[in-house]
Amino acid sequence: MSANIFPAHTFLDIASAVYEKGYCVLEDALPIPLLTALQSHLQNESDLEFKAAGVGRGLEHVREELIRQDQIAWIEGESAAEQQWLDWAALLKVSLNQQLFLGLFAFESHFAHYRIGQFYKRHHDAFRGQANRVLSIVTYLNKDWQDSEGGELIIYSEDGATIAERVYPRAGTVVVFLSEAFAHEVLPSTRDRYSIAGWFRVNQAVL
Ligand code: OGA
Ligand code: MN
């Protein structure tokens, strides 16, 4: 793997923003070759097994559908594009550990497909005390997204009282935030919306 197609300054920008304010929103942050590979991978959606994100049955499933409606496909590295994404995330992890001493260990991620009108209500990716999801990352694969098409990721302030960021899901934008600290939600859009959501975990000792 050639290091110079993954510009280190992107990783440094992410680390300093996370250090300063707990989150980072960076446009055009995904390397173009990686973005292009992921977009063409998605176009062969037949290879990918998207499943409803809510995994419960019956009433539990109905309850989950009120919260989130996207379809997801976990990324296991089974194609070159997926492997390229995992390689990039691994380099980001090393850089964040060097800069911020976060002790990030494992990484998991999935593609998400929101159809027209679908949403993910306000939620946290992790809860204080129990979770080992430390840092969330989201990136977008949607070419030529217009603001009028909606689909924003709303990031609430740490105290939950105000909106800190409204992020349109434009191709190449990368969002990183502390999983326990920031509630967020996905607003409905007037167009199919594709993202990757991932989580860096710490290695939790069994006590
Ligand atoms: C998630 C999530 C945000 C997005 O999957 O947990 O918050 O913009 N996704 O797709
Ligand atoms: Mn989330």
Side-chain angles (χ1 to χ4, degrees):
M1 180 179 19
S2 154
N4 57 9
I5 62 164
F6 301 130
H9 66 79
T10 299
F11 297 155
L12 297 180
D13 289 349
I14 292 172
S16 57
V18 169
Y19 180 78
E20 297 286 333
K21 52 183 186 179
Y23 71 88
C24 169
V25 178
L26 217 53
E27 286 185 21
D28 301 316
L30 212 60
I32 303 282
L34 174 56
L35 173 61
T36 311
L38 290 168
Q39 284 169 331
S40 22
H41 183 49
L42 267 185
Q43 274 167 0
N44 305 322
E45 224 188 279
S46 51
D47 307 356
L48 285 168
E49 281 191 39
F50 277 91
K51 297 202 172 80
V55 290
R57 288 165 180 273
L59 269 182
E60 181 60 16
H61 184 70
V62 171
R63 196 185 64 81
E64 287 179 62
E65 245 190 4
L66 296 173
I67 299 167
R68 71 184 297 186
Q69 303 182 320
D70 56 320
Q71 305 267 116
I72 64 170
W74 288 97
I75 297 178
E76 313 282 5
E78 280 164 11
S79 69
E82 291 192 2
Q83 196 53 57
Q84 226 177 304
W85 160 254
L86 295 176
D87 289 346
W88 185 79
L91 288 176
L92 172 60
K93 182 179 81 176
V94 168
S95 180
L96 291 170
N97 282 339
Q98 283 171 352
Q99 303 294 317
L100 304 177
F101 307 104
L102 285 171
L104 305 176
F105 183 73
F107 181 68
E108 58 184 350
S109 60
H110 61 58
F111 291 103
H113 176 197
Y114 293 78
R115 294 198 170 85
I116 294 170
Q118 294 185 329
F119 54 76
Y120 193 160
K121 296 281 192 206
R122 180 173 175 152
H123 66 282
H124 281 90
D125 287 344
F127 295 95
R128 226 168 289 276
Q130 43 151 269
N132 57 356
R133 280 179 173 181
V134 171
L135 204 67
S136 301
I137 180 167
V138 188
T139 191
Y140 301 103
L141 306 172
N142 310 294
K143 288 178 192 163
D144 307 316
W145 193 273
Q146 305 299 310
D147 293 1
S148 59
E149 292 169 317
E152 300 102 304
L153 170 69
I154 302 290
I155 303 173
Y156 292 92
S157 58
E158 267 197 88
D159 67 6
T162 56
I163 292 177
E165 294 283 338
R166 181 181 290 270
V167 184
Y168 290 93
R170 272 187 259 288
T173 296
V174 171
V175 179
V176 176
F177 56 91
L178 292 170
S179 304
E180 284 183 357
F182 294 94
H184 54 283
E185 78 177 293
V186 178
L187 299 185
S189 53
T190 58
R191 173 183 156 188
D192 285 298
R193 175 194 193 274
Y194 292 93
S195 58
I196 294 177
W199 300 273
F200 295 99
R201 295 171 171 274
V202 289
N203 193 14
Q204 223 174 29
V206 179
L207 299 176

